[in-house]
Amino acid sequence: MTGLDLKDKRILVTGGAGFLGRQVIAQLERAGANPDKITVPRSSEYDLCVMENCQRAAAHQDIIIHLAAHVGGIGLNREKPAELFYDNLMMGAQLIHAAYQAGVEKFVCVGTICAYPKFTPVPFKEDDIWNGYPEETNAPYGVAKKALLVQLQAYRQQYGFNGVYLLPVNLYGPEDNFNPNSSHVIPALIHKVYEAQKQGQKELQVWGDGSPTREFLYSTDAARGIVMATELYNESEPVNLGTNYEISIRDLVELICELMEFDGEIVWEADKPNGQPRRCLDTERAKKAFGFTAQTEFKQGLKNTIDWYRQHAQ
């Protein structure tokens, strides 16, 4: 496949200083992008909820990869649904418009698996994305991000603007957010087990009943997929990025406990929310459209993440 040559392109990566963003920049450089032409707007200088900042960020860029998001786990989604809706919608909608105004050649928008309906047939196919309302706890975030897909399709139709939309499944890996107030399930569990071991606890309390299933994509694989789409994918249809490997939360907790050698009792807090019942992606479109398949085996990815956390935990 011959695609976009990144060598001389000026590339803006929003969220480029974050967990996924650092990996995307590394993969862009591996794909031949010039490090001196990659710009990472910092949120302290560029609040993307303000249109003028989006216009400033988009000026003189050839490619924009929009990773920046206000995001967290079930707890944050329940506590701050309005902020999650507003921030994600405004950042994305204004940046897409500013990119169109500035004549940006390509816009790569990274969406969210939370956009899928609560009861989507498994594995999730991209064509099912409009067949129902998202799971309630993360719907405001999911709907805000899904609106950006509509915007990109509309701008392609009316203006010929080349915007593509990717749907990565839950990410994990070294450098993830391990803050228990806002982290996703894998880093939250690793942190929880680590703290229990440190304090000599013999019980581990976990939200829900362990029945939901999830799929997880290692951050390096996700970044590689995003860069491959940047080079090779130019269509309006959204594309899943995942592994097509499904694991229950119960099995995940047991695996993390095994890898971290925690032998205490797991206590399921069944009165707490489970979130979406099942998540597993159909990954055929990414494979056919730009040759992407995940490479990191799940257990190995978990080991890498645990090792990194142990080295960096305070």
Side-chain angles (χ1 to χ4, degrees):
M1 291 181 179
T2 54
L4 202 55
D5 185 353
L6 302 179
K7 190 169 80 244
D8 298 313
K9 300 294 184 191
R10 292 160 301 182
I11 305 171
L12 180 83
V13 184
T14 73
F19 160 54
L20 177 60
R22 288 192 289 269
Q23 299 281 355
V24 167
I25 287 165
Q27 293 293 326
L28 282 168
E29 291 174 8
R30 280 190 65 182
N34 180 344
D36 298 330
K37 295 193 171 185
I38 297 173
T39 304
V40 176
R42 301 308 294 258
S43 55
S44 54
E45 296 165 41
Y46 289 87
D47 175 358
L48 297 177
C49 290
V50 178
M51 186 60 177
E52 291 75 12
N53 293 338
C54 291
Q55 290 167 325
R56 219 160 35 98
H60 313 299
Q61 299 295 339
D62 299 311
I63 298 167
I64 294 179
I65 301 176
H66 180 46
L67 307 172
H70 185 175
V71 63
I74 289 179
L76 188 72
N77 278 283
R78 291 174 87 199
E79 191 188 331
K80 297 187 171 176
E83 281 180 36
L84 292 174
F85 179 81
Y86 182 84
D87 291 355
N88 288 294
L89 182 67
M90 298 310 286
M91 279 194 288
Q94 295 187 130
L95 190 62
I96 289 167
H97 191 69
Y100 154 68
Q101 287 179 320
V104 168
E105 189 180 333
K106 185 163 188 179
F107 193 103
V108 180
C109 186
V110 176
T112 173
I113 210 65
C114 300
Y116 273 103
K118 181 174 182 174
F119 298 105
T120 306
V122 176
F124 294 9
K125 289 185 165 62
E126 292 92 345
D127 296 341
D128 290 331
I129 198 163
W130 293 106
N131 294 345
Y133 195 70
E135 198 277 322
E136 295 79 6
T137 49
N138 52 39
Y141 170 65
V143 170
K145 290 293 246 181
K146 192 151 66 162
L148 307 180
L149 167 61
V150 178
Q151 184 179 7
L152 288 172
Q153 290 174 331
Y155 278 48
R156 182 183 291 274
Q157 186 183 336
Q158 187 172 341
Y159 306 133
F161 182 66
N162 187 12
V164 303
Y165 190 90
L166 306 174
L167 287 155
V169 77
N170 301 48
L171 303 180
Y172 75 104
E175 303 187 347
D176 203 341
N177 166 28
F178 288 86
N179 178 336
N181 298 320
S182 58
S183 57
H184 285 107
V185 61
I186 286 179
L189 288 169
I190 291 171
H191 171 82
K192 197 168 244 199
V193 173
Y194 179 85
E195 289 299 318
Q197 286 176 313
K198 204 163 79 171
Q199 292 161 22
Q201 292 168 358
K202 292 294 171 210
E203 279 190 356
L204 189 74
Q205 293 179 320
V206 185
W207 274 25
D209 62 13
S211 66
T213 66
R214 292 291 178 265
E215 174 181 340
F216 298 97
L217 181 62
Y218 195 60
S219 53
T220 311
D221 281 332
R224 198 169 43 81
I226 289 164
V227 172
M228 289 172 80
T230 303
E231 293 175 290
L232 298 163
Y233 187 65
N234 299 295
E235 305 297 328
S236 62
E237 295 306 313
V239 184
N240 288 334
L241 295 179
T243 60
N244 196 232
Y245 170 72
E246 187 178 13
I247 184 169
S248 73
I249 297 297
R250 185 173 292 276
D251 289 345
L252 172 66
V253 172
E254 287 172 2
L255 181 56
I256 288 172
C257 288
E258 178 195 319
L259 291 174
M260 295 182 74
E261 298 179 339
F262 175 78
D263 52 9
E265 187 190 348
I266 299 163
V267 178
W268 295 98
E269 299 187 83
D271 59 325
K272 296 288 200 300
N274 270 327
Q276 193 163 23
R278 286 182 74 188
R279 271 190 201 161
C280 184
L281 299 187
D282 183 300
T283 53
E284 278 305 301
R285 186 176 285 174
K287 198 184 205 167
K288 283 184 183 150
F290 47 93
F292 172 73
T293 51
Q295 291 172 349
T296 310
E297 193 267 326
F298 185 55
K299 199 167 180 178
Q300 185 58 53
L302 272 184
K303 278 182 184 161
N304 298 349
T305 309
I306 290 163
D307 289 348
W308 183 88
Y309 182 67
R310 280 193 165 139
Q311 286 165 12
H312 295 85
Q314 294 303 313

